[in-house]
Amino acid sequence: MRIAIPITLFLLTLVPHIISADDNVAPNRLPRENLLIYRDAGNYLQPVRTKDDWQKRRSEILAGMQKVMGTLPGDEKRCPLEVKVHEEVDCGKYVRRLISYQSEPGSRVPAYLCIPKGALEEGAVPVSAALCLHGTDNTIGHGTVVGLGRPNRNYAGELAERGWVTLAPNYPQLAKYQPNLEKLGWESGTLKAVWDNIRGLDLLDTLPYVKHEKYAAIGHSLGGHNSVYTAVFEPRIAAVVTSCGLDSYLDYYEGKPEVWQPGRGWTQDRYMAKLADYRNRLDEIPFDFHEMVGAIAPRSVLIIAPLKDSNFRYESVDKVAAAARQIYQLYKQPQQLQVLHPDVEHDFPPEMRAAAYAFLEGSLVDNSVEQ
């Protein structure tokens, strides 16, 4: 695979004496299409040749995300989970529990926990577990992924039928989960959701019937990009499936200014209100999916980008994957990043869900979470 390196870097590598230092000063925003460069301590561009070099670029990507999302908290927001079971339903091969857990002081997250009956038997071997993150639904929210709402969304229930433990937390500011983001100190609903998901993994860590350390994340639409955001910050996620969940911010609805007005699209409070500040300069957004998918490497990622998706452009997804694949190549794991283009609309049809489950099952068998 050919990887384009800026001519300045190429010349600097071969004949550094003909390049002045000022020619190689790093721009404010490093190119999203080329992940094989980083900014050194002196603010000069350097080529990424090693995994340690990549970590410098990766750190800048995380800093860019947090510039818009807010700073990911640490132990200061961790508190006892205080899990409560509100309802239990027998679903044949598994039981479905409506639970809630405390993700931070003053905020309880509603979630569905689906457990295969075999996993609950005495002496059973622990099984794999997945975060199942739902799409935009302001009526039943996370109920969609356990078969209570729209068709083609029951991936939490279907994975449970295949022997997985699944946890489906509700996204903040949707349906019955309405935390006060400002009062709780969050600068974006996106990062609040990431934190709730991280605490969901803490919950899975406490369950004796679950295999710990390596988890999956799967989501459609909102759940698709929520899975990516969470995996960037959370190394316990070893495999990601994102269905209809992303394209470049530059290409979102063709970059039309009206979709970047405050309160619309990505700039809603439940997502990232600060993105409205970039509506006339989208190229300056300090992170994009090229970099975030690259930041998940070498962990497994499957991107499902339908040809007829009216929300996210499949051509843009290919550019995202091409950039991220540079880092998978660096780790010598190019097969861990896959892209599918079904000839459907903004949907998650049965054949794509089957491909997603097979991908997750294959990925968690022997997949390193090395960063």
Side-chain angles (χ1 to χ4, degrees):
M1 175 181 178
R2 289 187 174 182
I3 298 173
I5 298 178
I7 187 63
T8 302
L9 286 180
F10 178 74
L11 292 173
L12 183 65
T13 301
L14 296 182
V15 283
H17 60 280
I18 69 169
I19 301 293
S20 69
D22 288 343
D23 289 333
N24 207 39
V25 173
N28 290 334
R29 201 256 189 253
L30 297 183
R32 51 178 52 75
E33 301 86 2
N34 187 352
L35 303 189
L36 292 178
I37 55 175
Y38 71 94
R39 186 191 312 270
D40 70 14
N43 198 37
Y44 293 106
L45 291 174
Q46 301 293 343
V48 170
R49 295 191 177 96
T50 68
K51 296 172 187 177
D52 287 342
D53 291 341
W54 163 242
Q55 290 306 310
K56 297 180 179 70
R57 176 67 185 273
R58 189 178 189 275
S59 294
E60 184 163 331
I61 294 166
L62 268 65
M65 294 174 69
Q66 291 176 92
K67 181 178 180 180
V68 173
M69 297 178 183
T71 302
L72 185 73
D75 288 342
E76 72 277 6
K77 270 195 181 287
R78 272 192 163 86
C79 61
L81 290 164
E82 295 183 357
V83 178
K84 297 180 180 179
V85 179
H86 304 282
E87 175 187 82
E88 182 169 314
V89 176
D90 188 329
C91 296
K93 292 183 179 180
Y94 66 95
V95 294
R96 185 185 72 224
R97 295 173 180 169
L98 175 60
I99 67 169
S100 64
Y101 60 92
Q102 188 172 229
S103 64
E104 60 179 305
S107 181
R108 293 192 65 82
V109 183
Y112 283 105
L113 177 64
C114 297
I115 312 166
K117 289 180 178 178
L120 295 173
E121 295 176 356
E122 186 175 352
V125 176
V127 300
S128 296
L131 277 176
C132 295
L133 306 178
H134 67 89
T136 304
D137 187 291
N138 211 11
T139 304
I140 60 172
H142 61 153
T144 59
V145 300
V146 294
L148 300 180
R150 305 179 187 183
N152 291 334
R153 301 292 187 271
N154 184 23
Y155 36 93
E158 290 172 349
L159 278 170
E161 288 181 341
R162 296 171 74 107
W164 289 64
V165 169
T166 61
L167 181 70
N170 208 96
Y171 190 91
Q173 302 283 302
L174 284 175
K176 295 181 180 180
Y177 181 40
Q178 298 290 326
N180 187 321
L181 300 177
E182 184 177 1
K183 185 177 179 180
L184 291 168
W186 295 99
E187 296 181 43
S188 70
T190 293
L191 200 66
K192 166 60 171 166
V194 168
W195 181 253
D196 288 350
N197 296 339
I198 289 172
R199 296 292 282 144
L201 296 183
D202 291 347
L203 189 160
L204 292 175
D205 278 344
T206 70
L207 303 179
Y209 44 84
V210 165
K211 289 181 183 177
H212 301 152
E213 297 183 6
K214 292 183 181 180
Y215 299 107
I218 179 173
H220 173 77
S221 195
L222 162 63
H225 44 259
N226 191 8
S227 296
V228 170
Y229 295 147
T230 304
V232 172
F233 288 110
E234 178 49 79
R236 286 176 292 180
I237 295 178
V240 175
V241 171
T242 170
S243 165
C244 301
L246 60 92
D247 62 4
S248 172
Y249 295 129
L250 299 178
D251 299 321
Y252 179 66
Y253 282 94
E254 301 174 345
K256 295 177 180 177
E258 58 267 28
V259 302
W260 291 94
Q261 295 296 321
R264 299 196 62 184
W266 288 114
T267 74
Q268 298 174 68
D269 288 343
R270 69 169 68 113
Y271 305 128
M272 294 169 278
K274 287 184 179 179
L275 282 178
D277 297 340
Y278 295 89
R279 60 185 174 276
N280 295 317
R281 48 191 183 97
L282 299 182
D283 59 327
E284 296 180 27
I285 296 173
F287 64 101
D288 207 337
F289 284 99
H290 314 62
E291 295 148 309
M292 289 184 284
V293 175
I296 299 173
R299 294 169 286 162
S300 301
V301 176
L302 171 62
I303 305 174
I304 300 174
L307 299 178
K308 298 174 183 175
D309 189 345
S310 60
N311 287 37
F312 301 107
R313 306 297 184 265
Y314 77 89
E315 303 95 333
S316 181
V317 170
D318 287 339
K319 291 185 287 185
V320 165
R325 194 165 282 115
Q326 298 170 79
I327 308 306
Y328 281 86
Q329 293 281 8
L330 179 70
Y331 279 94
K332 296 181 171 54
Q333 298 287 338
Q335 75 284 354
Q336 299 287 25
L337 174 59
Q338 298 181 26
V339 180
L340 296 176
H341 291 306
D343 189 14
V344 298
E345 298 181 349
H346 189 81
D347 201 3
F348 201 1
E351 60 272 22
M352 288 297 99
R353 298 200 306 280
Y357 305 153
F359 177 83
L360 293 180
E361 288 165 349
S363 298
L364 263 64
V365 171
D366 182 22
N367 183 22
S368 170
V369 295
E370 175 192 5
Q371 288 295 322

